[in-house]
Amino acid sequence: MPSSPQSTPKPLANLDFPRPLTTVDIVAFALRDERLHVLLVQRGSEPDEPFPGLWALPGGFVDVAKDATLADCALRKLREKTGVASPYLEQLGSFGSAARDPRGWSATHAYVVLIPAHLADTIAADASWFPIVGGGVKQKLAFDHDTILSVAITRLRNKVEYTSLPLYLMPAEFTLPELQRVYEIVLDRALEKSAFRTRMLSADVIEPVARTRKGPNRPAQLYRVKRAKAPTYFARTFNRPS
Amino acid sequence: MPSSPQSTPKPLANLDFPRPLTTVDIVAFALRDERLHVLLVQRGSEPDEPFPGLWALPGGFVDVAKDATLADCALRKLREKTGVASPYLEQLGSFGSAARDPRGWSATHAYVVLIPAHLADTIAADASWFPIVGGGVKQKLAFDHDTILSVAITRLRNKVEYTSLPLYLMPAEFTLPELQRVYEIVLDRALEKSAFRTRMLSADVIEPVARTRKGPNRPAQLYRVKRAKAPTYFARTFNRPS
DNA sequence: TGAATAGTGTCTGTTAGACACTATACT
DNA sequence: AGTATAGTGTCTAACAGACACTATTCA
């Protein structure tokens, strides 16, 4: 039976049935200390809150008065936690079931956000960065956030194989070896220097600046992301190890 | 449902705020007459319904009593419209805003479904297949379903470049030229026969059956999908025309 | 035999991987 | 000079595209 009993003589269709809770959750990634990190917040410890004291992805209920769209809601939550204004924001998917929230049937809209290195420290006091170990984080997370995080990591790793997404994790200026290192950290495997440089340079997404990174050895050319460049999709993935 | 520990009206956190409407919409694709089609239903013509008489993606409100998860809800809606039980089902994304439904703030969870050719005719009386022309359908659709459909088509075309997804659109037995034709219809461009055959045969996703398709010319080997095969991801896309 | 489509083989172009080689800084 | 890292060049492998060629059916 479809859910439209036509007994009520209302002007609009009858909307008087229970509605699921609607939330938005953010999986914010950043690189710190040669490690991929995810942003988590600790849930209030009042016993009337679900999962008190556990760590969780930042997020919360859609506010029908404040948020014009789901993406607006995601950006608002992110701003409240990090102060970051317009980063790379991509919808991950939605997760909804009767069981995932003890308060009732709920559906969350999950977003993935990539935070550039130089902004990763401007976060709210109640939020912290946790290193990704393998497919997740050491802590047990609230709700089904373990699952959401795991899906997000898988998606990120897959896309890094054939896109320029890691550019969103870089500081304003960076060298090619540094960029390659970021790819390797996310993918958790070594890449070939020569092939990597050829791919990046021929993609026309970065441009050299008139400076070099000095060190105890040969200095490296500094690059920056070309302005107003959408992420590039390559026609091939890096070859995975057999 | 086991494990529902809320038999008492607990003093849980205050949930007394307006909730968005939660719906699920299905973008069901099938091939008919050498054309990609999408399944649409016509909205009731009572003037108290939004978008009366317009065509729309099949879908509707999540029923917190019937649907254990979002995917369950999608499968239920699909079953009611097509009788198809377990096709290829993939989440497309969610679309939520204050404006998309005149009845109030609403968020829909969109799913893409691929219907095999031999099942495309077992649909409910109030649903119909509409041919995809360019990036959408000729009709103006209800809600933001034009947008959802457009996103779904883009996603499908992108994935067909590097996956074996079109196998889900095929009948039980098919020839390689027929499969190539399906790829070409979805991608709306010609593919190279030799490269196509090499890719498909080395992917180990189909196997020949002991029959051929007769015609007014050389008969073609019939194949079927290998059992229990997840969609294959190729390491390269087809080369796009420059 | 000719038309039509199925199916194969051969060559080329592109790009990743392996790896050696050169380049340029610092100590 | 020695070391460390940046950056290049050369060869191979994999695979898509172009296209010619062969194979098998029917009329």
Side-chain angles (χ1 to χ4, degrees):
Chain A
M1 277 293 151
S3 48
S4 281
Q6 59 263 63
S7 44
T8 33
K10 281 189 158 185
L12 267 184
N14 180 16
L15 298 176
D16 190 20
F17 50 81
R19 303 182 180 188
L21 296 163
T22 301
T23 61
V24 165
D25 286 309
I26 311 284
V27 187
F29 290 116
L31 271 160
R32 295 160 53 94
D33 317 319
E34 301 264 296
R35 259 267 174 56
L36 187 64
H37 284 65
V38 65
L39 190 70
L40 299 177
V41 296
Q42 195 164 19
R43 296 197 56 81
S45 45
E46 308 83 39
D48 63 337
E49 284 275 329
F51 304 101
L54 276 194
W55 291 89
L57 298 171
F61 294 110
V62 168
D63 185 324
V64 301
K66 279 190 201 160
D67 304 313
T69 67
L70 285 174
D72 283 348
C73 179
L75 288 172
R76 176 172 65 84
K77 304 276 180 199
L78 182 70
R79 209 180 326 109
E80 290 170 3
K81 291 299 167 199
T82 68
V84 174
S86 79
Y88 175 77
L89 179 82
E90 176 191 332
Q91 204 183 54
L92 176 65
S94 50
F95 300 80
S97 74
R100 63 180 295 277
D101 189 321
R103 295 167 295 191
W105 221 107
S106 91
T108 195
H109 303 262
Y111 284 80
V112 168
V113 163
L114 304 181
I115 308 285
H118 55 290
L119 295 181
D121 290 318
T122 66
I123 57 173
D126 61 336
S128 303
W129 292 106
F130 285 76
I132 302 293
V133 183
V137 93
K138 284 227 179 85
Q139 285 71 11
K140 165 95 181 68
L141 301 184
F143 304 103
D144 52 359
H145 288 188
D146 288 305
T147 303
I148 298 175
L149 174 59
S150 161
V151 171
I153 294 169
T154 301
R155 166 94 133 253
L156 178 65
R157 291 209 171 120
N158 278 336
K159 288 192 90 159
V160 167
E161 293 277 355
Y162 59 92
T163 66
S164 62
L165 275 197
L167 288 177
Y168 290 101
L169 295 170
M170 304 305 290
E173 297 185 351
F174 52 88
T175 69
L176 272 176
E178 285 165 1
L179 180 59
Q180 179 175 351
R181 190 81 194 94
V182 171
Y183 270 83
E184 293 175 337
I185 289 165
V186 175
L187 295 177
D188 196 26
R189 74 171 197 267
L191 295 178
E192 221 288 317
K193 177 170 54 165
S194 167
F196 180 83
R197 298 174 69 94
T198 305
R199 168 182 279 209
M200 284 304 149
L201 290 174
S202 61
D204 193 42
V205 283
I206 58 176
E207 58 191 1
V209 298
R211 295 181 50 230
T212 55
R213 167 93 70 230
K214 308 265 184 213
N217 41 41
R218 175 172 174 177
Q221 177 66 49
L222 279 166
Y223 292 84
R224 68 172 171 220
V225 179
K226 278 207 177 181
R227 223 141 290 288
K229 265 291 186 181
T232 293
Y233 286 70
F234 302 102
R236 303 175 51 171
T237 64
F238 293 112
N239 287 4
R240 288 154 199 259
S242 54
Chain B
M1 324 299 141
S3 77
S4 268
Q6 81 261 51
S7 42
T8 46
K10 314 180 154 184
L12 274 178
N14 180 19
L15 299 176
D16 190 21
F17 49 80
R19 303 181 180 189
L21 296 164
T22 300
T23 61
V24 165
D25 286 308
I26 312 283
V27 187
F29 290 116
L31 271 161
R32 294 159 55 93
D33 316 319
E34 301 264 296
R35 257 273 173 53
L36 187 65
H37 284 66
V38 66
L39 190 71
L40 299 178
V41 296
Q42 195 165 19
R43 297 197 56 81
S45 45
E46 308 83 40
D48 63 337
E49 286 275 330
F51 304 100
L54 276 194
W55 291 89
L57 298 171
F61 295 110
V62 168
D63 185 324
V64 302
K66 280 189 200 162
D67 305 313
T69 67
L70 285 174
D72 283 347
C73 179
L75 287 172
R76 176 172 66 82
K77 304 278 180 199
L78 182 71
R79 209 180 326 109
E80 290 169 3
K81 290 301 166 199
T82 67
V84 174
S86 79
Y88 176 77
L89 181 82
E90 176 191 333
Q91 203 182 56
L92 176 65
S94 50
F95 301 80
S97 74
R100 64 180 294 277
D101 188 322
R103 295 167 295 189
W105 219 108
S106 92
T108 196
H109 304 262
Y111 284 80
V112 168
V113 164
L114 303 181
I115 308 285
H118 55 291
L119 296 181
D121 291 318
T122 66
I123 58 172
D126 61 335
S128 302
W129 292 106
F130 284 76
I132 302 294
V133 183
V137 93
K138 284 227 178 83
Q139 285 71 12
K140 164 95 181 72
L141 300 183
F143 304 104
D144 52 358
H145 289 188
D146 289 305
T147 304
I148 297 175
L149 175 58
S150 161
V151 171
I153 293 169
T154 301
R155 167 96 132 250
L156 178 65
R157 290 207 171 120
N158 278 336
K159 288 192 90 158
V160 166
E161 293 277 356
Y162 60 91
T163 66
S164 64
L165 274 198
L167 289 176
Y168 291 102
L169 295 170
M170 304 306 289
E173 296 185 352
F174 52 88
T175 69
L176 272 176
E178 285 165 1
L179 180 59
Q180 179 175 350
R181 190 80 194 94
V182 171
Y183 270 83
E184 292 175 338
I185 289 165
V186 175
L187 294 178
D188 197 26
R189 74 171 196 268
L191 294 179
E192 221 289 317
K193 178 169 54 163
S194 166
F196 180 82
R197 297 175 69 94
T198 306
R199 168 181 282 210
M200 284 304 149
L201 290 175
S202 60
D204 193 41
V205 284
I206 58 178
E207 59 191 359
V209 298
R211 295 179 50 228
T212 55
R213 168 92 71 230
K214 308 264 185 216
N217 41 41
R218 173 170 176 178
Q221 177 65 52
L222 279 166
Y223 292 85
R224 68 171 171 221
V225 179
K226 279 208 177 181
R227 225 141 289 289
K229 265 293 186 181
T232 294
Y233 287 71
F234 302 102
R236 301 175 52 170
T237 63
F238 292 112
N239 286 4
R240 295 181 150 98
S242 52

